[in-house]
Amino acid sequence: MTSPSMQATACAQPNIALVKYWGKRDAALNLPAAGSLSITLAALHTRTHLRFDPALAQDEVVLNGRRESEHTRKIGGFLDLFRARARIETRARIESGNDFPTGAGLASSASGFAALAVAADGALALGLAKHELSMLARRGSGSAARSIFGGFVEMAAGDRDDGTDAFATPLLDAAAWPLEVVIAITTREQKATSSRDGMQASQRTSPYYRDWIATVPGDLATARDAVLARDFEKLAHVSEASCMAMHAVMLATRPALIYWNGATLACIQCIRSLQAEGTGVFFTIDAGPQVKAVCLPQAAARVADALRGIDGVEDVLASGLGEGARLETVSA
Ligand code: PMV
C-alpha cells in the first residue's frame, strides 16, 4: 500500500470552543455527549514531523525539543489507528513543537492531534477525506476534531455507537467574519487536572451534569444562527452562557474543579466593564486559567491594553481566525 520510511510534516492551530464540550457518551471511542462550536486561531501553531522508520523498535516522541516518555503510549496508540489502515506495523519518530505554552489551557492537544492526524495521513499516503481525519483526530482529543478545519467549526455529537457520525464540519470561513481573539495568559504552569480526567469526574459526580448536557443543543442552534448572521451580540451572549454553565458543572464536581485563578476573575470583570461601555468583546475560558476575549476587529487593541494592565496577567497574545490543519511536506 505504501513504502515504509515515509515522512511528512503538518501544521495545525488550536481552536477555542464558544459552545463548550464537557462530557463523553463513550470514553473508549472518545465520543462527545453533545456537540460544540469553535473558532480556529491563526497565530498559534503546532508543527509536527512524523517519520515511519523500519529501524525503530518502538515509537519515539519529542515534544518541544524534549524526549517524552509520558505521552508516548497515548501517541503510539493514536498512530496505531493509522497503521491499521495502512496495514503496517512500522514504528515512528514524532517531533512536535508548539510556539505557545503547552498544557496550560491553550488547546495544545487540539492542534497536536490534528497535526499528527494530517501528518500520518500524508506519510502513509492514505488519502483520507477531511471528515475521516476529523473523526480520527477526535480519538486523540475531542477538540482536535475541530482543528482539522479553519474559521467557525461545528462538531457533531452523532448518535451511532461506532462514532462514524461524530466529526466536525466547517460552518463559516475565517475571512467571512474576521473576529480577533485576545488571550490573557495568567500562568504558564501546566494545569493540575487534564480535560479528560476533569470531564470524567464531572460526569460521575457533578449534580448539574445532566442539565448541562441538556442545554447544549439549544445553545448550539443559537450560536450557529449567530455565526451565519454575523450577529456579534447574540454570539457573545450564548458563548458566555455556555462557558459559565460548563464552569458551574466543574465547580459542582466533587471534589471541585477550579480552573481559574484570581487574575482569571479580574479579566472577566474587566471585560464586563468594557462591554458596559459598548466595546465589542466577550470572554470564554476553557479548562485552564487563561481568558480568551473574542473581539470585533476595531475593539481588539483596546481590549489587549485593558487586559495587559491587570495584576497577574503575565502576557497578552492576539490572534485572528485561521486555517485548518494542513500538510506541509511529504517525502520518502
Ligand atoms: O478535547 P479535550 O479533551 O482537550 O477537551 C476540551 C475541553 C474544553 O476545552 C474545556 C472545551 C472545548 O470544547 O474545547
Side-chain angles (χ1 to χ4, degrees):
M1 169 169 282
T2 181
S3 62
S5 275
M6 290 288 283
Q7 43 186 318
T9 305
C11 179
Q13 284 129 228
N15 69 79
I16 291 174
L18 302 183
V19 176
K20 304 293 188 189
Y21 151 58
W22 194 253
K24 300 181 201 289
R25 66 181 172 91
D26 182 305
L29 291 175
N30 214 18
L31 296 172
S36 54
L37 188 148
S38 62
I39 45 181
T40 303
L41 300 179
L44 315 182
H45 306 90
T46 297
R47 186 159 279 106
T48 299
H49 179 74
L50 172 64
R51 176 168 53 88
F52 288 93
D53 182 347
L56 289 172
Q58 53 193 26
D59 292 320
E60 289 178 10
V61 178
V62 177
L63 279 187
N64 295 318
R66 295 217 337 240
R67 183 75 182 266
E68 276 278 340
S69 48
E70 193 196 329
H71 296 102
T72 306
R73 249 177 96 98
K74 179 167 183 202
I75 291 174
F78 181 74
L79 281 183
D80 285 344
L81 302 170
F82 294 83
R83 283 189 274 250
R85 279 178 160 69
R87 297 195 188 87
I88 60 163
E89 306 229 323
T90 315
R91 302 292 105 183
R93 181 177 165 87
I94 302 113
E95 268 180 75
S96 188
N98 297 326
D99 59 6
F100 59 94
T102 301
L106 289 178
S108 53
S109 66
S111 49
F113 282 107
L116 189 54
V118 170
D121 177 53
L124 298 174
L126 294 172
L128 295 169
K130 287 258 169 112
H131 76 277
E132 293 175 287
L133 285 172
S134 173
M135 224 183 290
L136 285 162
R138 186 202 75 224
R139 298 286 294 274
S141 138
S143 53
R146 302 185 306 235
S147 272
I148 295 296
F149 300 101
F152 297 80
V153 178
E154 184 170 347
M155 174 73 194
D159 55 20
R160 291 190 204 141
D161 288 345
D162 65 0
T164 50
D165 54 355
F167 52 82
T169 46
L171 203 55
L172 188 71
D173 277 356
W177 198 17
L179 299 180
E180 294 279 326
V181 183
V182 174
I183 303 172
I185 308 279
T186 63
T187 180
R188 289 182 186 277
E189 277 169 31
Q190 300 247 346
K191 59 190 163 199
T193 311
S194 68
S195 308
R196 188 172 288 255
D197 293 347
M199 241 178 247
Q200 270 163 3
S202 292
Q203 201 155 350
R204 269 196 321 270
T205 67
S206 178
Y208 304 149
Y209 179 77
R210 278 161 160 270
D211 287 343
W212 149 250
I213 293 300
T215 63
V216 180
D219 284 351
L220 260 182
T222 305
R224 192 187 307 124
D225 288 353
V227 166
L228 295 176
R230 278 82 145 170
D231 184 336
F232 188 79
E233 210 167 322
K234 189 168 173 174
L235 188 61
H237 284 146
V238 71
S239 301
E240 289 189 353
S242 174
C243 165
M244 291 311 236
M246 177 183 77
H247 282 277
V249 173
M250 293 164 163
L251 289 171
T253 300
R254 301 171 189 203
L257 293 167
I258 307 175
Y259 283 109
W260 299 1
N261 58 32
T264 312
L265 196 54
C267 290
I268 295 176
Q269 280 159 343
C270 167
I271 290 167
R272 290 192 133 194
S273 37
L274 289 167
Q275 288 169 332
E277 292 167 10
T279 307
V281 59
F282 65 85
F283 65 82
T284 188
I285 303 155
D286 291 305
Q290 329 298 10
V291 177
K292 290 99 178 196
V294 182
C295 311
L296 287 172
Q298 63 271 24
R302 170 145 175 61
V303 171
D305 279 350
L307 292 176
R308 202 173 281 120
I310 291 176
D311 259 3
V313 171
E314 292 184 5
D315 202 359
V316 167
L317 311 175
S319 176
L321 305 191
E323 301 300 301
R326 61 217 168 266
L327 203 55
E328 292 190 330
T329 58
V330 188
S331 54

PDB file of all heavy atoms in Angstrom, residues 104 218 224:
ATOM      1  N   ALA A 104      -1.515  24.410  29.120  1.00  0.00           N
ATOM      2  CA  ALA A 104      -1.948  25.450  30.072  1.00  0.00           C
ATOM      3  C   ALA A 104      -3.293  26.053  29.665  1.00  0.00           C
ATOM      4  O   ALA A 104      -3.562  27.226  29.912  1.00  0.00           O
ATOM      5  CB  ALA A 104      -0.880  26.528  30.167  1.00  0.00           C
ATOM      6  N   GLY A 218     -29.668  23.565  22.336  1.00  0.00           N
ATOM      7  CA  GLY A 218     -30.263  24.897  22.173  1.00  0.00           C
ATOM      8  C   GLY A 218     -29.184  25.957  21.985  1.00  0.00           C
ATOM      9  O   GLY A 218     -29.291  26.831  21.110  1.00  0.00           O
ATOM     10  N   ARG A 224     -24.978  28.809  16.122  1.00  0.00           N
ATOM     11  CA  ARG A 224     -24.902  28.565  14.671  1.00  0.00           C
ATOM     12  C   ARG A 224     -25.609  29.699  13.918  1.00  0.00           C
ATOM     13  O   ARG A 224     -25.076  30.279  12.982  1.00  0.00           O
ATOM     14  CB  ARG A 224     -25.546  27.219  14.365  1.00  0.00           C
ATOM     15  CG  ARG A 224     -25.304  26.696  12.977  1.00  0.00           C
ATOM     16  CD  ARG A 224     -26.113  25.431  12.712  1.00  0.00           C
ATOM     17  NE  ARG A 224     -25.911  24.390  13.710  1.00  0.00           N
ATOM     18  CZ  ARG A 224     -26.915  23.833  14.423  1.00  0.00           C
ATOM     19  NH1 ARG A 224     -28.177  24.212  14.258  1.00  0.00           N
ATOM     20  NH2 ARG A 224     -26.648  22.886  15.301  1.00  0.00           N
TER      21      ARG A 224
END
